[in-house]
Amino acid sequence: MLKTMNKNVTFLENPMKQRYLFQESTDLMQTLFVLPLHLSKDSWQQTALFSLAESLEIPILFIYKRTKKMRVPPELPKKTLYLTIPVPADPVEVNIKLNSLQNISMHLFSFKMKGQELEKINQKSARSMRIARGFQHLCLPTPIQNNHIEIKGLSQPSTELLGDLFFWTEVSDGKYAFIMIDMCGKGIHTALVHMSIRTLIPELIKRIRDPILIIRELKKHMKGLFQGMHWEDTINACFSAFITYVNTRKRFIEYVNCGHPPAILHAPDTNYILKLSEGAGPIGCIKETPITKVVFHYEPGSRFIIYSDGLSKSPSPSAAERTERIEKEFIENAHLSTHDLLQALLLSRMRHSEIDDDISIIAGTLF
């Protein structure tokens, strides 16, 4: 009967010593392994055989003797996939059982192959993410410290890729530009927009040197990126931004805040505190809003922080209460070095609640 089924039949005298046959078979779909009937239910060989079948995901057809009081053998494996059949049996019945097991094997094999392919894809994706994250890290600006100004930054991503972006540079003798951007949403599309803007900024802030004109250029850039896309795909195509120029020779600041958390300026000598919140709405594929630029003078020794909403966003208390807490912590730690101030602000946020958004902070001193 077995010969008529077009199968490669292999009789296993000692299944454990012949386990290599399972792994070396070129086509398990067309191979039938016949197991010895003398393995008792208490045999260690039977237990090991079940484990082997389970580990290799090979279904088993158990054959038992047909009697008047026919019952399915009680000691059958709990996890191994199997079917049972009493003998003597009709060849048609045996063929149905074997075909059923073959279908199970095919599904298992297909699932295993898909799992292996998915694992390869995940490994490649993880490697790509690490490279992209490393590239983003390399794009962070280096600290500046001289007799006029000190600037340092901190970046804490919530996922593999950053949605936040910050940059600063000296645009001319004694004049410095800062920009911080917080992309709306998360994911690869956010990181791609992030890097698109990052490549644009260094040349832009040196060439234009005006916050309002920079905002207009960024809006134009965003419209160009998403031109031709469906409206629903551009809902989150926006970002908040804080853009400022500092003239350390004349000691004045000009800035525009586009839907970003307010930056904070503190003069320790007079205890003067200023929240920099004026400007416009977020930048992106949304309705145009008026842009307000603010210009003011600062006192020597003033310290400042610019941060993304990852620092202020939390389940409770509200963002407004959390912002007040950040202001208080900033003033209380104003005596610390810029590096220690950044670490203190981040540590406080980490202690408060789980972080589910990127955190970026710029801190510095204007001498």
Side-chain angles (χ1 to χ4, degrees):
M1 183 176 67
L2 294 176
K3 293 180 180 179
T4 64
M5 293 182 181
N6 195 27
K7 302 284 185 182
N8 298 322
V9 181
T10 301
F11 289 89
L12 302 178
E13 296 297 333
N14 189 323
M16 301 315 299
K17 289 185 178 180
Q18 293 176 285
R19 63 177 296 164
Y20 67 90
L21 293 174
F22 294 108
Q23 297 163 322
E24 291 183 359
S25 176
T26 56
D27 190 356
L28 288 176
M29 299 300 103
Q30 294 297 321
T31 301
L32 178 67
F33 295 102
V34 179
L35 308 178
L37 295 175
H38 64 268
L39 294 181
S40 69
K41 66 180 182 180
D42 299 321
S43 170
W44 67 268
Q45 288 179 302
Q46 185 191 73
T47 302
L49 179 63
F50 291 170
S51 298
L52 175 63
E54 182 181 352
S55 66
L56 297 178
E57 296 182 336
I58 300 174
I60 299 175
L61 177 62
F62 286 100
I63 303 173
Y64 60 99
K65 188 176 181 181
R66 187 186 296 272
T67 65
K68 292 182 179 179
K69 297 181 179 179
M70 186 176 62
R71 292 185 306 166
V72 176
E75 296 296 329
L76 291 174
K78 292 181 173 59
K79 295 182 180 180
T80 306
L81 293 166
Y82 63 88
L83 291 175
T84 60
I85 187 170
V87 292
D90 185 271
V92 175
E93 185 180 2
V94 175
N95 199 35
I96 290 173
K97 294 281 186 177
L98 291 174
N99 285 335
S100 178
L101 284 177
Q102 180 174 343
N103 289 334
I104 294 174
S105 296
M106 290 178 67
H107 285 298
L108 287 172
F109 182 76
S110 177
F111 183 77
K112 185 184 293 186
M113 289 298 99
K114 288 179 180 178
Q116 291 174 355
E117 288 300 316
L118 184 60
E119 179 62 25
K120 290 179 181 178
I121 292 172
N122 288 338
Q123 289 176 358
K124 289 180 180 180
S125 177
R127 182 174 179 272
S128 297
M129 287 289 187
R130 287 195 299 271
I131 293 172
R133 178 71 188 96
F135 186 69
Q136 284 187 334
H137 182 74
L138 290 173
C139 290
L140 294 175
T142 56
I144 295 177
Q145 184 167 7
N146 53 44
N147 295 331
H148 306 291
I149 192 171
E150 179 190 18
I151 315 167
K152 289 185 178 179
L154 177 151
S155 177
Q156 179 72 32
S158 61
T159 58
E160 283 286 343
L161 297 178
L162 270 170
D164 293 353
L165 180 159
F166 60 78
F167 185 78
W168 59 72
T169 190
E170 184 175 14
V171 296
S172 62
D173 187 24
K175 190 173 184 179
Y176 299 84
F178 306 77
I179 184 167
M180 180 176 286
I181 285 174
D182 187 356
M183 302 299 305
C184 181
K186 298 178 181 179
I188 295 176
H189 71 286
T190 301
L192 290 173
V193 176
H194 168 287
M195 292 310 299
S196 172
I197 295 173
R198 175 61 181 80
T199 57
L200 184 71
I201 283 176
E203 185 272 337
L204 192 64
I205 61 177
K206 283 188 175 183
R207 174 171 56 86
I208 297 181
R209 303 188 186 185
D210 184 280
I212 292 179
L213 297 179
I214 288 175
I215 290 169
R216 288 173 180 167
E217 286 294 318
L218 290 174
K219 287 184 175 181
K220 188 189 301 182
H221 181 72
M222 287 294 284
K223 287 181 179 179
L225 281 179
F226 290 90
Q227 187 175 10
M229 294 186 65
H230 294 294
W231 178 83
E232 59 269 19
D233 294 330
T234 65
I235 294 175
N236 292 328
C238 63
F239 56 86
S240 66
F242 185 88
I243 305 169
T244 183
Y245 283 83
V246 178
N247 190 321
T248 60
R249 301 292 185 185
K250 298 180 179 180
R251 291 202 176 98
F252 75 83
I253 294 172
E254 53 182 325
Y255 81 89
V256 174
N257 186 328
C258 297
H260 205 74
I264 305 173
L265 183 81
H266 175 235
D269 293 342
T270 61
N271 204 32
Y272 177 71
I273 302 169
L274 184 62
K275 293 182 180 179
L276 314 183
S277 58
E278 299 294 323
I283 300 170
C285 301
I286 56 178
K287 185 178 179 180
E288 295 288 336
T289 57
I291 305 172
T292 301
K293 180 172 71 173
V294 178
V295 182
F296 65 93
H297 285 269
Y298 65 85
E299 298 178 20
S302 293
R303 305 200 74 183
F304 65 89
I305 58 169
I306 306 167
Y307 60 91
S308 64
D309 65 1
L311 188 66
S312 57
K313 189 188 297 181
S314 63
S316 64
S318 66
E321 293 175 306
R322 179 70 191 138
T323 300
E324 290 179 4
R325 180 62 184 167
I326 292 170
E327 179 183 331
K328 183 179 178 182
E329 291 172 350
F330 170 45
I331 295 169
E332 288 175 350
N333 293 298
H335 63 284
L336 298 176
S337 67
T338 301
H339 174 271
D340 290 345
L341 172 62
L342 289 168
Q343 295 299 320
L345 292 170
L346 177 61
L347 184 59
S348 173
R349 175 63 187 86
M350 293 174 71
R351 286 173 175 170
H352 185 270
S353 61
E354 183 180 356
I355 296 174
D356 62 355
D357 196 6
D358 300 334
I359 295 177
S360 293
I361 315 172
I362 299 174
T365 306
L366 303 172
F367 300 111

